Amino acid sequence: MIGAWLRKYAEKDGRGYPDWAMRYAPIVRRLRRIRPTVTRIVEIGANANGFARFAHRPVIAVDRDPVHLREARAAQSVYAVAADACALPFAAGSADVCVCVDTLEHLPSESRAIALREMVRVTAHEGVAVVTFPSGGAAARVEAEIRAAYRKLTGATIPWLEQHAALGLPDAGAVRATLAECAPDRRIAVEANTPVCVW
């Protein structure tokens, strides 16, 4: 009953599932505060419940999967661009904001640093890049528990969660080191994962 009520509340504005709101709403709020007039927003890793849906403004949605791009275009105001995160087809400094929410863990570990460098390259010097991903032992343990429980209850698997397990979660220290290396004159802020009980 409570779950149905929460889902109805989360979807009342067409905003999608509660977990997407938890991912995007804090980013949208903070960016409105620190960059209220941004015009060029690029999101790496498009999905139907992406940044544009919560920000209520057009976004350039990038994904290499045409299905993801179709879903994104059908549900929000986006310009769909089929491209790989490791080879973004944009000029250096062309984005005011670059957002990559829960995509890094779906890239092979050897591609993550390349994708991060691309995000820094396309983000204007005075712009903002936001990269979020599950990380650390606690996240890995909880994901393993969820995978096991889902398999036990349904006999099936959750494809994106299986991909996390196969590729391994990104290491927050390695991500920070890569960003510091390719953007030595920019400020890097690190925040911890959302507590699992809230997620």
Side-chain angles (χ1 to χ4, degrees):
M1 181 71 162
I2 291 175
W5 181 84
L6 285 171
R7 166 104 12 122
K8 184 176 178 184
Y9 175 78
E11 293 179 343
K12 74 184 176 83
D13 296 324
R15 293 183 178 220
Y17 301 111
D19 61 325
W20 287 108
M22 286 180 55
R23 297 168 203 216
Y24 284 104
I27 299 169
V28 170
R29 276 196 306 272
R30 182 173 291 179
L31 287 174
R32 280 189 183 136
R33 212 171 47 245
I34 64 173
R35 295 282 190 280
T37 60
V38 296
T39 56
R40 295 162 299 174
I41 303 168
V42 174
E43 180 173 14
I44 311 301
N47 59 74
N49 296 302
F51 191 81
R53 175 169 268 184
F54 294 91
H56 302 293
R57 54 193 322 171
V59 170
I60 299 167
V62 178
D63 203 288
R64 64 182 176 194
D65 186 334
V67 172
H68 292 170
L69 291 173
R70 273 195 303 276
E71 290 172 349
R73 197 171 24 219
Q76 48 190 328
S77 178
V78 299
Y79 305 101
V81 176
D84 192 299
C86 296
L88 297 174
F90 309 120
S94 59
D96 297 315
V97 173
C98 185
V99 179
C100 181
V101 174
D102 290 338
T103 296
L104 211 56
E105 66 274 18
H106 296 284
L107 300 177
S109 58
E110 62 274 9
S111 298
R112 293 171 183 164
I114 299 167
L116 289 166
R117 286 186 187 95
E118 277 291 276
M119 290 176 219
V120 169
R121 181 186 68 78
V122 303
T123 304
H125 191 270
E126 63 284 351
V128 176
V130 179
V131 183
T132 71
F133 51 91
S135 181
R141 283 189 298 278
V142 168
E143 286 194 355
E145 290 174 17
I146 293 169
R147 287 171 59 234
Y150 190 84
R151 194 177 299 115
K152 182 177 179 183
L153 289 170
T154 68
T157 61
I158 304 170
W160 59 265
L161 205 48
E162 295 301 317
Q163 192 174 49
H164 287 198
L167 297 174
L169 297 181
D171 177 75
V175 169
R176 190 180 199 297
T178 298
L179 292 172
E181 174 193 316
C182 59
D185 57 340
R186 298 187 196 182
R187 187 175 74 82
I188 300 170
V190 178
E191 294 184 16
N193 287 345
T194 300
V196 172
C197 61
V198 174
W199 182 80

